[in-house]
Amino acid sequence: MADPPQDYAAQDPLEAVARQLLIEIGEDPDRSGLRDTPERFARWWREFSSYQAGQVERNFPLRTDGEIVMVSDINVWSLCEHHLLPFSCVLTIAYKPGEHVLGLSKFARIAQSHAHRLQVQERLVRDIAEEIAKVTGTVDVAVIGRGEHLCMSMRGIRTSALMTCSVFDGIFRDYGPPREELIKIAFPGS
């Protein structure tokens, strides 16, 4: 196989990787439809892996009377660390606030910050739960993630399925009203 031109590899090592990948799968990286693909590939990988969620620790003073706060249908994309293929995950996050509530957009920011790295879904859900607990100052946190993994849908068995994993801490750990309420919202009709 031909080595990438020296000046091409000097621009960005990820472009050289993409160019070599195209060659290895029998494509011509110099044909019109692929000419800019190595640059787009490199730009996407750098954009994905350097994602900055912004400030995630914005709390607002608000006295609650034991209500549970839930944010559902947060959609994130991540990359399976085993195959470097994408997986999408829909998240439901719940917590019982104390003297402050977390700003609404912070849930999505926290979820996105953990999704923008090589991941497995189980760790993604755990990492989000741990950061929510840290930022809110409560152990009463639950996160449910339902994901479709292209490493299963596009290769191997080649069938789609949803993987569900969860973290239940604090008041959500045991079966009872807080956990039941969360399950009803996360899985309507069950």
Side-chain angles (χ1 to χ4, degrees):
M1 294 289 156
D3 290 329
Q6 200 63 11
D7 62 333
Y8 198 86
Q11 288 178 344
D12 185 336
L14 283 177
E15 289 182 39
V17 167
R19 184 174 175 79
Q20 190 62 39
L21 175 66
L22 291 170
I23 292 168
E24 293 297 328
I25 63 171
E27 289 288 348
D28 176 6
D30 294 319
R31 77 172 166 86
S32 64
L34 294 176
R35 199 169 295 129
D36 296 328
T37 297
E39 187 269 329
R40 286 190 295 265
F41 172 89
R43 188 174 56 236
W44 180 85
W45 273 96
R46 296 210 188 286
E47 177 184 303
F48 183 84
S49 62
S50 66
Y51 176 82
Q52 296 296 314
Q55 182 185 13
V56 297
E57 296 180 354
R58 180 77 169 135
N59 288 302
F60 298 96
L62 179 66
R63 174 112 178 105
T64 64
D65 292 322
E67 295 93 350
I68 295 169
V69 174
M70 286 182 240
V71 181
S72 58
D73 297 324
I74 300 170
N75 293 290
V76 298
W77 282 92
S78 192
L79 288 169
C80 165
E81 69 181 32
H82 302 134
H83 301 99
L84 299 182
L85 288 172
F87 69 90
S88 65
C89 196
V90 178
L91 300 159
T92 298
I93 302 171
Y95 80 109
K96 182 180 174 188
E99 299 291 319
H100 295 84
V101 293
L102 186 61
L104 179 60
S105 71
K106 306 319 178 205
F107 294 95
R109 289 179 188 279
I110 289 168
Q112 290 289 355
S113 71
H114 290 283
H116 279 262
R117 60 182 74 150
L118 298 179
Q119 273 287 16
V120 293
Q121 185 176 325
E122 298 90 338
R123 187 174 60 237
L124 172 67
V125 170
R126 170 51 63 195
D127 289 350
I128 292 167
E130 287 174 357
E131 186 161 354
I132 295 290
K134 178 181 155 200
V135 169
T136 61
T138 182
V139 297
D140 299 323
V141 175
V143 179
I144 299 171
R146 294 180 52 124
E148 180 177 359
H149 297 249
L150 295 187
C151 57
M152 180 175 163
S153 302
M154 292 179 65
R155 57 162 297 284
I157 190 67
R158 294 186 181 152
T159 191
S160 60
L162 288 177
M163 178 179 145
T164 302
C165 55
S166 58
V167 171
F168 296 111
D169 290 330
I171 63 168
F172 299 101
R173 186 176 308 271
D174 297 324
Y175 288 99
R179 187 165 172 164
E180 289 173 16
E181 182 181 351
L182 173 61
I183 297 297
K184 284 180 184 177
I185 288 173
F187 303 103
S190 59

